[in-house]
């Protein structure tokens, strides 16, 4: 779903060399229900399934510009890609010191949190089972602390917790221009339950049963 939109495909085609890494068996890889190749895709929220998929946006030298765990809606994904492309310009600016680049990286991520459109915020709440998991943690960074930015917009779900887009940018702010080989993907993508399951198998089997009657 994230990568099947024409705008996403064209952006990737024009700006990037794309690749993938199979993380099956990795310590941080999550679990989910079975998804047959001919089964319909399920639309979900931004950042859902963070243990199963991590989309890295790298500079040409392998430096991490951005990492998006889980699913992201196509238009929101394009917005985040464009954000990363701006960070790439900063990274490749020879007039800036490394200290200045790191400072601008952090500032850009924290500023992005304050400029998320309302519709993107509404697509970026945690799934209910992940929200319960984070609420049970003593030190979850999805919980607001004194001094944290809190959007004025009231979200329909889990307004007591930060959105995934906010947490992703806050976590990225702590990791300015890290080499891909040194990026702590396990810690970065660690939120919610290890098993992502929206009961797709139950819905799909029910739909197929009706279709065969």
């Amino acid at each position: 779903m994230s990568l099947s939109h024409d705008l996403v495909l064209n952006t990737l085609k024009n700006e990037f060399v794309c690749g993938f890494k199979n993380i099956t068996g990795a310590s941080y890889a999550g679990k989910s229900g079975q998804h047959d190749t001919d089964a319909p895709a399920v639309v979900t929220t931004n950042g859902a399934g963070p243990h199963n998929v991590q989309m890295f946006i790298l500079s040409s030298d392998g430096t991490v510009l951005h990492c998006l765990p889980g699913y992201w809606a196509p238009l929101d994904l394009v917005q985040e890609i464009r954000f990363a492309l701006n960070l790439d310009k900063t990274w490749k600016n020879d007039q800036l010191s490394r200290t200045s680049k790191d400072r601008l990286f952090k500032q850009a991520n924290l500023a992005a949190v304050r400029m998320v459109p309302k519709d993107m915020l509404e697509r970026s709440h945690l799934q209910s089972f992940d929200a319960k998991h984070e609420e049970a943690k003593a030190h979850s960074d999805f919980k607001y602390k004194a001094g944290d930015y809190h959007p004025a917009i009231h979200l329909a779900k889990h307004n007591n917790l930060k959105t995934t887009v906010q947490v992703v940018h806050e976590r990225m702010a702590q990791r300015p221009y890290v080499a891909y080989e040194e990026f702590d993907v396990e810690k970065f993508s660690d939120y919610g339950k290890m098993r992502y399951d929206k009961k797709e198998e139950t819905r799909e089997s029910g739909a197929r049963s009706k279709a065969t009657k």
Side-chain angles (χ1 to χ4, degrees):
M1 290 291 289
S2 296
L3 305 179
S4 61
H5 193 282
D6 285 344
L7 183 56
V8 176
L9 289 173
N10 289 334
T11 302
L12 294 175
K13 179 180 177 181
N14 294 332
E15 301 289 349
F16 296 96
V17 175
C18 299
F20 73 94
K21 177 182 178 181
N22 187 344
I23 62 171
T24 302
S27 59
Y28 56 86
K31 300 179 176 66
S32 65
Q34 179 179 333
H35 304 280
D36 296 331
T37 56
D38 61 346
V42 177
V43 175
T44 184
T45 52
N46 289 335
H51 302 284
N52 297 339
V53 176
Q54 300 87 35
M55 292 183 283
F56 280 90
I57 303 173
L58 310 178
S59 187
S60 55
D61 63 356
T63 299
V64 177
L65 304 171
H66 208 353
C67 179
L68 297 167
Y71 165 89
W72 288 76
L75 295 181
D76 299 334
L77 176 57
V78 169
Q79 178 171 315
E80 295 298 315
I81 289 173
R82 289 172 176 165
F83 172 81
L85 289 173
N86 285 328
L87 291 179
D88 192 44
K89 294 176 183 177
T90 302
W91 177 240
K92 293 177 176 176
N93 187 339
D94 294 334
Q95 303 302 312
L96 296 173
S97 67
R98 177 59 194 262
T99 300
S100 295
K101 292 178 181 181
D102 288 355
R103 175 175 51 81
L104 291 171
F105 183 100
K106 180 176 181 178
Q107 289 176 350
N109 274 281
L110 296 181
V113 168
R114 297 173 176 268
M115 296 185 290
V116 179
K118 180 178 182 293
D119 56 345
M120 186 174 181
L121 281 175
E122 292 173 341
R123 289 190 291 269
S124 301
H125 63 78
L126 287 167
Q127 294 287 298
S128 295
F129 49 85
D130 285 338
K132 290 179 181 179
H133 187 79
E134 292 302 316
E135 287 170 339
K137 288 183 181 179
H139 304 291
S140 170
D141 58 351
F142 277 85
K143 296 178 179 179
Y144 289 100
K145 302 184 297 295
D148 285 346
Y149 173 71
H150 196 310
I153 299 169
H154 180 83
L155 298 180
K157 288 189 175 184
H158 320 308
N159 195 52
N160 60 318
L161 295 175
K162 296 177 185 178
T163 59
T164 50
V165 65
Q166 178 167 348
V167 170
V168 164
H169 277 288
E170 288 177 346
R171 291 185 182 186
M172 282 305 304
Q174 301 168 9
R175 297 164 171 82
Y177 296 119
V178 177
Y180 174 75
E181 294 79 7
E182 300 173 2
F183 194 90
D184 53 339
V185 59
E186 180 170 3
K187 185 175 181 180
F188 183 83
S189 59
D190 182 20
Y191 62 83
K193 298 180 68 175
M194 285 295 290
R195 180 176 177 82
Y196 178 83
D197 192 357
K198 294 189 72 173
K199 311 301 181 185
E200 295 97 328
E201 293 157 295
T202 303
R203 290 201 299 270
E204 289 168 9
S205 62
R208 288 172 182 172
S209 296
K210 291 179 181 179
T212 57
K213 287 181 179 180

